[in-house]
Every structure is written in structure tokens, then in C-alpha cells.
Amino acid sequence: MDDFVENNYLNDLPLWADDDAKEILLAVCKKNNISLDVVTELVIVQRERQHQERARGINKRFEEILGLIE
């Protein structure tokens, strides 16, 4: 997951670009027992499909990602 962030895939978003914001995000993830990887995957899928008028299959992909939550 860090490869996407390191390659500037998400670095334009404050939650990944700003260290203070990322710390808050990490704290929220920890409090809710959700890994940052899951949140990152969800954001990546949304960003990949945001240009599509109809993002077919996005709900199925979200379900797959959310299924990773233990």
C-alpha cells in the first residue's frame, strides 16, 4: 500500500500528505480496529473510478476490501 503513497498516488490528499492529518487518521483507524491499508484501498478504488459516469462493480470491490477487516 505504501507504494501508492510513495509514488504520489494519494499524496495530493491531506490525509496522506500532511503528517498531523495522517496521525489523526491512524488514531481513528486504530480506535475502530480498521487497518490503514483498508481505508487506503477504498480511497484508491474510489479515485480510480471517480471519472466514470457509472462505476460498475465498485460495490463488489468495496465488499471485497471491507471483507479484509478482521
Side-chain angles (χ1 to χ4, degrees), residues 33-66:
N33 296 321
I34 298 173
S35 77
L36 180 60
D37 288 345
V38 168
V39 174
T40 303
E41 276 288 326
L42 291 169
V43 172
I44 288 170
V45 168
Q46 191 280 327
R47 292 194 93 189
E48 288 175 343
R49 306 230 180 161
Q50 69 185 359
H51 68 281
Q52 298 175 345
E53 189 171 313
R54 291 184 54 110
R56 292 178 189 237
I58 196 167
N59 289 339
K60 183 177 187 236
R61 184 67 184 121
F62 281 164
E63 288 176 16
E64 291 170 355
I65 295 167
L66 292 173

Side-chain angles (χ1 to χ4, degrees), residues 1-58:
M1 209 53 54
D2 289 334
D3 292 339
F4 286 109
V5 177
E6 289 173 9
N7 292 324
N8 296 322
Y9 193 79
L10 297 176
N11 279 342
D12 61 322
L13 298 175
L15 286 175
W16 280 267
D18 180 85
D19 289 336
D20 292 333
K22 189 166 184 179
E23 286 301 316
I24 293 169
L25 175 61
L26 287 168
V28 169
C29 287
K30 184 176 180 177
K31 178 180 176 184
N32 291 286
N33 296 321
I34 298 173
S35 77
L36 180 60
D37 288 345
V38 168
V39 174
T40 303
E41 276 288 326
L42 291 169
V43 172
I44 288 170
V45 168
Q46 191 280 327
R47 292 194 93 189
E48 288 175 343
R49 306 230 180 161
Q50 69 185 359
H51 68 281
Q52 298 175 345
E53 189 171 313
R54 291 184 54 110
R56 292 178 189 237
I58 196 167

